Amino acid sequence: MGRYAVAEALRRAGAVVEVHADHFAPDAPDETWLRAVGERGWVVITKDKAIRHRETELAELKAAHVAAFVLTAKGLTGQENGAVLAKALRAMTRYLVGNRPPFIAAVAPSSRLTMLHRGHKPRARPPKKK
């Protein structure tokens, strides 16, 4: 994802950003950093779409109650990735309010969000008023 361009784009858009490399070793196992992220109440933004298919990481994401957004854009520069995420930031914030962790949601190049994996049953919706 990059250490500078994406983080700076998100900060300019108003997000508080913590960069993986500032807190964890580059080769830190996903299980280790996911647990720490969950304990700190942080949100994960990654390009690793396969995280939802790897049982160990998925189990840790669920256990740690982590909300994760996966950027699905391919072949973009760091600045372009940052622009997509900055544009999606407002929608991501609303998504966090409406969907309790753990979950994994995709962020498309258009900044559209799609739920990829929900680590729990969805909340029951109140009955519609007649």
Side-chain angles (χ1 to χ4, degrees):
M1 185 69 78
R3 190 170 180 178
Y4 302 106
V6 172
E8 286 307 313
L10 286 168
R11 286 182 182 120
R12 283 193 305 274
V16 175
V17 178
E18 298 293 339
V19 177
H20 182 279
D22 292 341
H23 300 277
F24 308 103
D27 59 349
D30 287 347
E31 302 83 30
T32 301
W33 67 263
L34 283 169
R35 187 176 314 116
V37 165
E39 289 168 357
R40 296 169 185 168
W42 295 347
V43 174
V44 170
I45 299 176
T46 183
K47 287 192 62 135
D48 183 6
K49 289 188 293 189
I51 195 169
R52 67 186 169 132
H53 299 296
R54 290 192 302 269
E55 289 303 316
T56 306
E57 288 88 343
L58 187 56
E60 190 57 47
L61 184 137
K62 288 179 183 180
H65 297 283
V66 170
F69 291 96
V70 177
L71 182 60
T72 61
K74 293 181 182 175
L76 300 183
T77 66
Q79 289 179 330
E80 291 167 332
N81 285 330
V84 169
L85 290 166
K87 182 179 172 189
L89 184 59
R90 186 178 217 170
M92 291 164 64
T93 302
R94 284 193 308 265
Y95 212 78
L96 286 163
V97 171
N99 296 279
R100 64 186 163 101
F103 68 78
I104 301 171
V107 181
S110 65
S111 299
R112 182 170 179 253
L113 304 179
T114 305
M115 182 67 76
L116 296 177
H117 180 83
R118 190 182 308 269
H120 55 81
K121 293 183 179 179
R123 293 179 181 156
R125 296 187 186 261
K128 291 184 179 181
K129 295 180 183 180
K130 294 182 182 185

